[in-house]
């Protein structure tokens, strides 16, 4: 089996990338995924609708953001997408003038669930905004399809990202899921902080309560690799 790292074609690739993204976060299930890519309703049709909406939105996010860079790893024998990565190569401090489009949570209906997600995404961005106020490489999304795990797919993306960061002389930041940590630890990333997102409000609407129950406590780990990659646990001063 040959698993090849390729640049995506934004015109044709987002439907298969979105499908792989869903498959990857459903096995094992990760509750936070609902914040970004909800399935509204039950059954196969609702899931298909969610994947289609996700593909359209990923394409929009990509084409509207000059910092966005997408890659895929393809099984060259079958043409199947084995994994994907969405990078942001920030050549300027991205927190100086946040894009208003990114704050608009169009994928939830107006009401309590949308307000919940807006609050969650704001909380999510705070830790990195505290430490990454400069040009940097940011890994926003990384996934390997369950059938292609532990075959070096994730590592291919990481090798590319670390090389890119070194060429540019940039720090590399990411927010890791529970399942991503072994990959990043194996690549020498240091922990900056364990973070928990849990929006609160005094009088939650029913929609807010429903999504709160679905997402629960969203835990992630802010991780970092300094420019050049030289770091030592216990010695390197974190940003
Ligand atoms: C995290 C993820 C992308 C790893 O992808 P992968 O293609 O299986 O990773 P690789 O095969 O390239 O692993 C490279 C190295 O990372 C480490 N590693 C990766 N997954 C590991 C696991 N489950 N347990 C222990 N070590 C692991 C190992 O050192 C591995 O090298 P080895 O297989 O030679 O021991 C994949 O598990 C995934 O998609 N998870 C669900 C989505 C997700 O949470 N993504 C992370 C977003 S931050």
């Amino acid at each position: 089996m040959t698993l090849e790292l390729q640049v995506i074609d934004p015109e044709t690739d987002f439907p298969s990338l979105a499908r792989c993204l869903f498959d990857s976060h459903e096995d094992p299930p990760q509750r936070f995924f609902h914040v970004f890519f909800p399935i509204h309703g039950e059954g196969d049709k609702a899931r298909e609708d969610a994947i289609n909406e996700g593909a359209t939105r990923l394409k929009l996010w990509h084409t509207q953001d000059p910092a966005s860079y997408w890659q895929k790893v393809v099984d060259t024998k079958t043409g199947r997408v084995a994994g994907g990565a969405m990078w942001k190569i920030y050549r300027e401090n991205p927190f100086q003038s946040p894009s208003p489009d990114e704050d608009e949570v169009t994928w939830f209906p107006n009401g309590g669930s949308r307000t919940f997600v807006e609050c969650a995404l704001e909380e999510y961005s705070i830790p990195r905004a505290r430490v990454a106020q400069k040009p940097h490489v940011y890994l926003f999304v990384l996934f390997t399809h369950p059938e292609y795990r532990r075959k070096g797919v994730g590592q291919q993306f990481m090798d590319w990202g670390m090389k890119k960061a070194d060429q540019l002389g940039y720090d590399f930041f990411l927010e890791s899921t529970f399942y991503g940590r072994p990959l990043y630890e194996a690549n020498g990333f240091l922990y900056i902080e364990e973070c928990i997102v849990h929006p609160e409000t005094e009088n939650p609407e029913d929609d807010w309560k429903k999504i709160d129950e679905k997402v629960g406590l969203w835990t992630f780990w802010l991780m970092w690799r300094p420019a050049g990659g030289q770091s030592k646990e216990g010695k390197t001063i974190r940003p």
Side-chain angles (χ1 to χ4, degrees):
M1 184 189 298
T2 307
L3 296 167
E4 193 177 278
L5 182 69
Q6 299 178 1
V7 179
I8 65 149
D9 178 346
E11 288 311 313
T12 55
D13 279 341
F14 282 112
S16 51
L17 283 165
R19 187 168 299 282
C20 186
L21 175 77
F22 273 69
D23 289 344
S24 302
H25 287 85
E26 288 168 353
D27 184 2
Q30 300 201 58
R31 295 171 80 185
F32 85 88
F33 188 63
H34 185 72
V35 167
F36 292 102
F37 297 100
I39 298 177
H40 297 295
E42 305 288 328
D44 292 348
K45 165 87 169 61
R47 184 174 184 269
E48 283 306 303
D49 289 347
I51 293 174
N52 289 336
E53 187 278 329
T56 307
R57 184 151 45 87
L58 287 175
K59 182 176 176 183
L60 194 72
W61 281 351
H62 177 63
T63 48
Q64 285 180 346
D65 184 353
S68 172
Y69 188 79
W70 263 94
Q71 293 173 316
K72 59 182 176 178
V73 164
V74 173
D75 181 342
T76 54
K77 204 165 175 202
T78 59
R80 208 170 154 203
V81 171
M86 178 187 185
W87 303 92
K88 304 252 185 169
I89 313 292
Y90 288 124
R91 291 171 192 273
E92 288 168 19
N93 172 8
F95 299 104
Q96 238 161 9
S97 50
S99 140
D101 290 348
E102 275 182 20
D103 297 339
E104 211 186 317
V105 178
T106 54
W107 54 102
F108 277 91
N110 247 327
S113 54
R114 182 182 284 198
T115 315
F116 177 95
V117 169
E118 281 164 356
C119 295
L121 292 180
E122 201 184 324
E123 279 184 33
Y124 181 65
S125 69
I126 289 172
R128 191 167 49 93
R130 257 200 311 259
V131 294
Q133 299 263 355
K134 55 182 171 184
H136 63 274
V137 169
Y138 174 49
L139 179 58
F140 182 37
V141 180
L142 175 71
F143 52 93
T144 301
H145 191 280
E147 287 167 33
Y148 290 98
R149 297 226 170 114
R150 298 303 289 272
K151 297 180 193 309
V153 171
Q155 190 60 50
Q156 289 202 51
F157 293 122
M158 293 308 292
D159 286 343
W160 182 89
M162 292 187 291
K163 197 170 160 200
K164 186 77 189 169
D166 288 349
Q167 280 167 354
L168 293 167
Y170 288 179
D171 285 15
F172 183 156
F173 291 93
L174 58 86
E175 287 106 0
S176 179
T177 62
F178 177 79
Y179 301 103
R181 293 169 61 187
L183 172 64
Y184 309 131
E185 283 176 9
N187 283 282
F189 277 65
L190 298 182
Y191 287 96
I192 294 184
E193 193 178 351
E194 180 181 275
C195 313
I196 298 175
V197 168
H198 189 223
E200 285 179 6
T201 184
E202 274 190 14
N203 295 307
E205 295 174 42
D206 281 352
D207 281 2
W208 173 297
K209 285 187 203 157
K210 257 191 224 159
I211 187 169
D212 189 7
E213 245 169 56
K214 209 162 188 173
V215 174
L217 292 183
W218 173 10
T219 306
F220 66 90
W221 291 265
L222 179 62
M223 299 184 80
W224 166 71
R225 177 184 183 270
Q230 298 299 321
S231 64
K232 219 169 185 176
E233 195 56 75
K235 289 236 163 93
T236 304
I237 299 168
R238 288 157 166 76

